Amino acid sequence: MDGLLKVSSTRRFSQQHEDALVPAKQAQDEEAERQTTTQVESAEDVLKLLQSKPDFGSLIIGLRWLNKSSKATSGAFNIKIPSNKAAEILNALVNTILPDYWQLLRPTKEDNHAKQRRIFTKCLTNIAGIGALTARSKNIVAAGKVKGKPDISGGNDLKTPSKDVLEVLEEVLQGPKTILLIVEDLCKSIEKPMQRNLAVRELVSLVGSGRLISVVAEAESMGTEKPLGESSWIGDGKAYTQWLGRNLRELTTSRDHVPEIKQSRDQIFRKGLSLGYRDQFIEAIYESTIHGDADALPRDTGFFSELPYYEQKIVLFALLRLMPTTHNNDKGKATVRGIAALAQRLTVNPKTREMLVDWLVDANSGSVNLDLIIHRAVMTVIAEDVDILERAASKLLAVFLDKMFIEHSPIFNQEVQSQDLLLAIGQLYRVDQSRLRSLSHSSAYINAISNRLAASSPRAQFLGMVVGTAVSELVDEPDKRMKLGIDDIESEDGMWYRGIVKITDSVGTLEDLRNAWKLGQKKPKGVQTTKALPMHPRKKPTQPQTSKIVAIEELEDSESEDDDLPLYEKPDSDREDSDEDPTLITRNKPTAPVYIRDLILGLRDSENYDRHKLAIYSASDLIRRKANFGTEVTEHVEELASQLTGLKDTFNLDLFEEKRLQAMISVIVAQPLPMGKWFSTMLFNADYSMSQRASMLTALSLAARDLAGYRSEDASLTGAHTEPKDLFPSKRLHPRMDPAFAQGISTLNAIAAHSERAMIKPLAAAAADQATGPNILKIRTFSSRMEVEKNRKRPITNALAKVVADGFFFPLTGRYRAHASVYGDRSPFAMPFLLAHFLKSLALIMSASGASTLSLPALTAEFWGFLLPLRVEAGRAKVVLEALLFCLLTVLEINVGDLRRVAEDHAQELLETRGWAQRVFDGARGGEKEGEKIRMLAASVLVKCSEVVEKYQSLLLGDLVNYM
């Protein structure tokens, strides 16, 4: 073979020839540009070229001319200046060139046309270009709604380029300096100030009004169905708002003192606040300062000082909501110093510092949802001015003594206000003791303590006692201090409240704030990186050979010994040995985790299928087994809860939602009080999806029933640990939504339906008994004593009764009201599905607490006052109406043993409930399944209310007259 091949010639390439070797596709494009004879000298030539379906080389020449002309001196054609000719060229680019050539220019792995794509998108990076792309998207939506509608734009088929238009729009808007570059081009290209102002207004109206979000979102909905998470960021309100905030940050960074830049900055800021994502918008603007960047602080404080008072208030409140709350073992002192440093730099004058007082006092500011660390930082800044500190203490005391606030405000809000008041008292004591002494002897303080002690709620009384005791310990002599002799004051909770006045904080630097963020990004304890094992095992050291004389014993051969050997069956074949490829056999499979830290690592490992599956399937049992053994669960409980709450079904595992839900229940049962508060906080403050919020509510309600001793009953009702039943297709959700929603909703609905039947069944039996005739004619059957004792249920230990108020109920209702007051209809809990789920969860928690719980009067007052204002929402959605009636029936049923207290303390609520239930019963339509169920629930509530009214008519007569 070697003889058949011979060298014919040899040629050596120089370095110049080697550098000339370029990718084949790029060389073809450059050759096409060189070979074309197209010449462009004016805008008319470009327009004719674009309308004549040019080849690729001619197109690039025309685009280069447009980009070059945009940098020319005044008087020449500029595509960035709004004009009729520029509009025609942009219309041709969007409606003719884009459908034909974007498939070639689209970004790919090789990206051979990156330079040409930048030239094309640069021609569209102006007001008219963005407007043309938006108009194109609108035409696509209009054509999709009307079948057979002709192309009104003169381009290709409107249905095919929807994805292309959105991709081009993303390329045009991508980057944090897009708006700044457009404004700078306007300032350089347009000479007349009036025209520049009009152009800036049009730009602000285009990018700041939310028009792009609605157009792109509607265009995506008209296109082909995409998997979740692959939609355009322009159609996502949160992502678009963050992009707008980053562009606004670049506008504030610009050193060009041009009036148009300041004008666009102020107008875009006002528009961005109205898009519905204020926190994300402000976070994008102040991102560097929030994370402790001292270099960005002068720029951000300068922009903050130029804002009007109302907008300053919005920004300041949002920044406080975005502050970190992580801390190490110093009780949060370093984090408080960092937050206080930022708040101090933003509120440099007394007028802006009064905003901090309003943030503490106003319930609509969102302060009740934030951690005590942030409240401490705010109070530290306020304490720098003793006059403002005294006014803050007086305002907090005025809220604390208000009878309407004591009777009708959620207990959670009252607890936060009490903590703020104690912080202010402690700061005032350290700054000026004489002012605190005069405040403690004022009529406002005396009325506050008196109103608190006279309150009907035990928790409100407790807050009054701890405040009075804490103040007395600071201003009174030891022998004259207030001593109530109540165990609650000396309890752990009471000592914690009294210790708030002793907390001392100071203002630090932004470096402390940066360290607080770094602390939240550190790896948790117990997470260790494991090194890879060696490929080959190490050889054992060989022992030195020694000679040894071994005795030789001659044994007789006996065949009879084989008869005593047992016979074994043939071993089963290994299932994995049947694989044809031995390299695919994995014998070193992971084992189930035995430590909590291993469980967390397994839940995080989304690459290893076997390890991830074992972690999920064994999470619930491991957590329950370790709950009362050692401190593993206590040390990692928040981290474990956070991991389970945000866990996604990466491998489409069977029974994934059930196993995840059971693990969340086990976490709450292991630490009821802290984890109940944690789940309530995350439910409203964290950024979770609808399905995740629903599963958190289900976990809270089922954990409460588990603590109350209903675990086995719930398992039999919901069919836990069994395979799910196949439902008829019309009864299922969408395939992408069914795994996320079906498990939690069906579980809670099954338990709620059982509880509903248990409450209605005695009423139906009593009604049927009355319809059969007088009691004297009826025959009663008596059971034997043994049979009665046999059917009697054994008493169970209700561990929920101790923690239901502080750990479950009050945090949920209080944070819901605070969340609704801040976000209103934009709250996710304003949706009927989630609101009904929330109401049923509260009802099940209250029902599980039992009629003998000590906090039942406070729970009844809180829940009844929480339900009645929701009658408006119930009139809009039947699912909310059904849930509200179920809750009211639960309140009446659990208080059936003390109806006199209901008539005395809740007469107004009782009469309002009866009147509203009567109207619902009369207005509900019969014949339909939903209508009949609503009528049945309304009738049950009406019967329960009528029983109380008839039994205590004389007691309710005064309230009935007032109600009528």
Side-chain angles (χ1 to χ4, degrees):
M1 291 297 292
D2 295 337
L4 297 176
L5 301 174
K6 62 180 180 179
V7 179
S8 61
S9 63
T10 303
R11 184 176 180 183
R12 186 179 300 277
F13 286 91
S14 62
Q15 183 66 29
Q16 181 178 1
H17 287 86
E18 294 179 1
D19 296 340
L21 296 176
V22 295
K25 192 67 179 176
Q26 186 176 354
Q28 292 176 6
D29 297 339
E30 294 178 356
E31 185 66 22
E33 292 184 37
R34 288 195 297 269
Q35 291 181 358
T36 185
T37 58
T38 303
Q39 294 182 357
V40 177
E41 297 180 354
S42 63
E44 287 77 7
D45 295 341
V46 176
L47 182 59
K48 292 179 182 178
L49 175 67
L50 298 177
Q51 293 176 346
S52 61
K53 295 187 179 296
D55 57 8
F56 190 71
S58 302
L59 173 64
I60 297 302
I61 290 177
L63 295 178
R64 290 185 188 276
W65 187 91
L66 289 175
N67 283 323
K68 186 177 180 181
S69 65
S70 63
K71 302 177 183 178
T73 58
S74 60
F77 174 78
N78 191 342
I79 196 173
K80 297 180 180 180
I81 300 178
S83 63
N84 294 334
K85 188 63 65 178
E88 292 180 4
I89 293 175
L90 291 170
N91 186 45
L93 285 174
V94 173
N95 297 314
T96 304
I97 302 302
L98 188 151
D100 293 339
Y101 281 99
W102 186 248
Q103 294 293 334
L104 182 64
L105 297 174
R106 176 181 282 119
T108 58
K109 292 182 178 180
E110 295 80 10
D111 210 4
N112 297 323
H113 300 288
K115 186 185 298 183
Q116 291 84 354
R117 184 175 68 253
R118 284 194 296 269
I119 295 173
F120 176 70
T121 55
K122 197 172 182 180
C123 294
L124 297 173
T125 310
N126 51 69
I127 300 176
I130 299 173
L133 291 170
T134 306
R136 180 70 177 178
S137 300
K138 287 184 177 180
N139 293 338
I140 293 170
V141 174
K145 291 180 178 179
V146 182
K147 295 183 179 180
K149 186 174 181 179
D151 188 353
I152 60 176
S153 60
N156 295 344
D157 183 17
L158 284 172
K159 296 182 181 179
T160 54
S162 61
K163 183 179 179 181
D164 299 347
V165 174
L166 299 184
E167 288 181 354
V168 174
L169 191 58
E170 286 184 355
E171 289 284 335
V172 170
L173 297 178
Q174 192 69 37
K177 294 185 177 181
T178 304
I179 298 178
L180 177 62
L181 295 176
I182 294 175
V183 176
E184 288 179 346
D185 291 338
L186 290 175
C187 297
K188 295 177 183 177
S189 305
I190 303 177
E191 296 180 354
K192 296 182 180 180
M194 182 63 69
Q195 293 182 355
R196 288 202 299 266
N197 292 336
L198 293 176
V200 169
R201 288 183 182 179
E202 185 178 356
L203 174 64
V204 172
S205 176
L206 186 62
V207 301
S209 61
R211 188 190 312 172
L212 287 175
I213 302 176
S214 59
V215 170
V216 172
E218 192 172 6
E220 283 188 323
S221 65
M222 299 298 295
T224 56
E225 186 178 2
K226 293 183 178 180
L228 292 175
E230 294 187 7
S231 57
S232 173
W233 62 267
I234 303 178
D236 184 1
K238 184 183 296 184
Y240 183 83
T241 305
Q242 291 174 343
W243 170 85
L244 191 64
R246 288 190 291 268
N247 276 264
L248 183 61
R249 183 180 61 200
E250 296 297 330
L251 288 173
T252 60
T253 310
S254 177
R255 298 181 180 180
D256 297 336
H257 301 287
V258 182
E260 285 73 20
I261 293 180
K262 186 178 182 301
Q263 176 188 355
S264 62
R265 181 195 67 185
D266 297 341
Q267 293 179 3
I268 289 176
F269 180 77
R270 295 185 181 91
K271 292 284 187 179
L273 291 178
S274 61
L275 290 178
Y277 300 92
R278 286 185 176 180
D279 289 358
Q280 289 79 8
F281 181 62
I282 295 172
E283 182 181 11
I285 299 173
Y286 292 89
E287 183 177 6
S288 300
T289 301
I290 289 174
H291 288 82
D293 187 0
D295 297 333
L297 185 61
R299 175 201 68 195
D300 292 340
T301 53
F303 175 59
F304 179 82
S305 61
E306 295 176 3
L307 296 175
Y309 179 81
Y310 174 70
E311 294 177 357
Q312 285 182 345
K313 209 170 187 180
I314 294 175
V315 172
L316 181 61
F317 290 1
L319 290 177
L320 291 174
R321 287 193 295 270
L322 296 170
M323 288 295 101
T325 57
T326 55
H327 58 86
N328 46 22
N329 296 328
D330 64 344
K331 297 182 179 180
K333 290 185 178 294
T335 306
V336 170
R337 289 196 300 267
I339 300 173
L342 178 58
Q344 182 193 49
R345 295 295 297 272
L346 290 174
T347 57
V348 293
N349 55 66
K351 186 177 180 181
T352 55
R353 195 149 295 185
E354 288 287 348
M355 298 178 187
L356 298 177
V357 179
D358 296 338
W359 182 81
L360 292 172
V361 177
D362 190 3
N364 297 325
S365 64
S367 60
V368 294
N369 292 326
L370 300 183
D371 196 270
L372 182 63
I373 287 178
I374 302 177
H375 290 252
R376 287 165 53 186
V378 170
M379 195 62 69
T380 303
V381 178
I382 292 176
E384 293 184 343
D385 191 329
V386 64
D387 295 331
I388 298 179
L389 177 62
E390 187 177 13
R391 285 198 295 272
S394 300
K395 290 183 178 181
L396 290 169
L397 186 61
V399 176
F400 188 74
L401 67 87
D402 188 12
K403 291 184 178 180
M404 294 292 292
F405 179 78
I406 296 173
E407 294 296 333
H408 301 286
S409 180
I411 293 297
F412 180 79
N413 291 20
Q414 298 185 39
E415 291 176 348
V416 174
Q417 291 287 345
S418 303
Q419 295 167 14
D420 291 339
L421 179 59
L422 291 172
L423 285 173
I425 289 172
Q427 291 286 1
L428 192 61
Y429 174 77
R430 286 182 287 274
V431 174
D432 192 344
Q433 297 183 11
S434 61
R435 299 198 183 197
L436 176 61
R437 191 170 289 104
S438 62
L439 180 67
S440 64
H441 291 84
S442 63
S443 59
Y445 174 78
I446 297 174
N447 291 334
I449 303 301
S450 301
N451 294 343
R452 285 282 168 177
L453 295 178
S456 58
S457 172
R459 190 64 179 177
Q461 296 176 2
F462 168 77
L463 295 176
M465 288 187 287
V466 293
V467 170
T469 304
V471 174
S472 178
E473 291 176 350
L474 293 177
V475 300
D476 295 338
E477 298 296 332
D479 56 340
K480 297 181 180 179
R481 291 176 181 174
M482 180 185 295
K483 296 180 181 179
L484 300 175
I486 300 177
D487 295 339
D488 292 344
I489 301 298
E490 303 299 330
S491 64
E492 183 180 356
D493 193 18
M495 296 300 295
W496 182 82
Y497 270 94
R498 291 161 60 185
I500 292 178
V501 297
K502 302 176 183 178
I503 298 176
T504 57
D505 296 307
S506 59
V507 180
T509 61
L510 290 184
E511 184 67 24
D512 297 321
L513 185 60
R514 185 185 305 174
N515 294 333
W517 285 109
K518 292 180 180 179
L519 186 64
Q521 297 173 357
K522 287 183 179 180
K523 291 183 179 179
K525 296 180 179 179
V527 179
Q528 301 176 355
T529 57
T530 57
K531 297 181 179 180
L533 296 175
M535 295 297 295
H536 303 284
R538 296 180 180 179
K539 295 182 178 180
K540 297 181 179 179
T542 58
Q543 298 180 355
Q545 297 181 358
T546 58
S547 60
K548 184 178 181 180
I549 300 174
V550 181
I552 299 175
E553 182 180 358
E554 185 177 353
L555 300 176
E556 295 182 359
D557 188 9
S558 177
E559 295 182 358
S560 61
E561 294 181 359
D562 295 340
D563 298 336
D564 298 334
L565 297 176
L567 298 177
Y568 294 96
E569 296 181 0
K570 182 181 178 181
D572 296 334
S573 60
D574 193 348
R575 183 174 55 88
E576 295 183 350
D577 289 340
S578 61
D579 202 323
E580 296 180 358
D581 189 357
T583 61
L584 299 178
I585 299 176
T586 305
R587 297 193 181 276
N588 188 19
K589 287 190 174 182
T591 58
V594 294
Y595 298 106
I596 297 297
R597 62 174 182 272
D598 296 334
L599 174 63
I600 296 174
L601 291 175
L603 294 174
R604 288 177 177 171
D605 191 357
S606 59
E607 302 294 334
N608 191 332
Y609 171 80
D610 294 328
R611 186 184 186 190
H612 191 68
K613 181 179 179 180
L614 278 173
I616 294 173
Y617 276 57
S618 60
S620 178
D621 294 337
L622 179 62
I623 295 169
R624 288 182 182 272
R625 191 166 64 250
K626 293 284 187 176
N628 299 321
F629 182 78
T631 60
E632 280 188 272
V633 176
T634 306
E635 292 176 353
H636 302 88
V637 64
E638 288 192 8
E639 181 185 356
L640 187 59
S642 178
Q643 190 68 33
L644 288 170
T645 305
L647 195 63
K648 296 181 180 179
D649 190 5
T650 309
F651 299 105
N652 294 324
L653 299 174
D654 296 334
L655 302 177
F656 171 81
E657 287 298 329
E658 179 186 339
K659 297 297 182 182
R660 173 173 163 268
L661 180 62
Q662 293 299 327
M664 293 167 63
I665 294 172
S666 301
V667 169
I668 301 174
V669 172
Q671 297 287 326
L673 187 59
M675 294 317 299
K677 294 180 179 179
W678 186 89
F679 271 87
S680 302
T681 303
M682 295 295 107
L683 182 66
F684 294 96
N685 292 357
D687 189 10
Y688 287 116
S689 64
M690 297 285 291
S691 62
Q692 289 171 332
R693 294 178 195 269
S695 63
M696 292 170 71
L697 284 172
T698 305
L700 280 170
S701 55
L702 293 185
R705 290 179 61 84
D706 193 332
L707 290 169
Y710 294 102
R711 184 186 181 190
S712 57
E713 180 180 334
D714 292 347
S716 61
L717 289 173
T718 60
H721 312 294
T722 58
E723 295 291 334
K725 298 180 180 179
D726 292 333
L727 299 176
F728 194 72
S730 63
K731 300 295 184 181
R732 299 176 187 169
L733 294 172
H734 191 276
R736 293 186 298 159
M737 301 173 64
D738 186 74
F741 286 90
Q743 179 64 33
I745 298 174
S746 60
T747 300
L748 194 71
N749 287 340
I751 298 174
H754 175 74
S755 178
E756 180 181 303
R757 289 193 298 269
M759 290 185 292
I760 295 177
K761 187 176 179 180
L763 299 178
D769 186 61
Q770 291 180 1
T772 57
N775 294 333
I776 194 172
L777 300 178
K778 298 175 185 177
I779 300 175
R780 293 185 60 188
T781 57
F782 295 91
S783 302
S784 63
R785 182 176 180 182
M786 297 295 294
E787 186 176 353
V788 172
E789 291 294 333
K790 182 179 179 181
N791 295 330
R792 181 177 296 174
K793 292 183 179 180
R794 296 182 179 179
I796 55 178
T797 303
N798 193 340
L800 176 66
K802 301 178 182 179
V803 297
V804 61
D806 299 334
F808 290 83
F809 206 85
F810 291 152
L812 284 173
T813 56
R815 291 195 180 277
Y816 173 84
R817 289 181 174 178
H819 195 268
S821 63
V822 175
Y823 295 100
D825 294 337
R826 294 182 289 108
S827 171
F829 287 88
M831 300 188 66
F833 147 73
L834 197 56
L835 180 58
H837 200 68
F838 180 73
L839 291 176
K840 289 182 179 179
S841 301
L842 289 175
L844 291 178
I845 291 173
M846 184 175 184
S847 175
S849 65
S852 59
T853 179
L854 296 178
S855 57
L856 182 60
L859 293 177
T860 303
E862 176 77 9
F863 201 24
W864 217 335
F866 177 82
L867 293 175
L868 290 179
L870 295 176
R871 288 174 290 180
V872 178
E873 286 78 1
R876 301 171 184 169
K878 289 184 178 180
V879 63
V880 180
L881 176 60
E882 180 184 338
L884 183 58
L885 289 170
F886 172 68
C887 292
L888 291 171
L889 183 59
T890 303
V891 172
L892 295 169
E893 177 67 24
I894 200 172
N895 286 280
V896 71
D898 194 2
L899 296 179
R900 182 177 181 85
R901 177 180 54 80
V902 174
E904 290 178 348
D905 298 344
H906 307 287
Q908 188 73 21
E909 291 87 346
L910 181 66
L911 296 176
E912 287 187 21
T913 302
R914 189 182 69 161
W916 178 72
Q918 182 67 54
R919 292 192 296 270
V920 171
F921 179 80
D922 295 338
R925 296 181 180 179
E928 300 178 359
K929 186 176 180 180
E930 292 183 355
E932 290 296 334
K933 188 172 184 179
I934 290 175
R935 285 173 61 87
M936 179 180 65
L937 288 171
S940 301
V941 174
L942 191 59
V943 169
K944 287 284 186 181
C945 293
S946 299
E947 288 179 358
V948 183
V949 172
E950 291 175 3
K951 191 172 183 180
Y952 300 99
Q953 279 186 347
S954 59
L955 188 64
L956 293 170
L957 185 60
D959 295 285
L960 183 62
V961 172
N962 295 333
Y963 179 71
M964 297 298 290

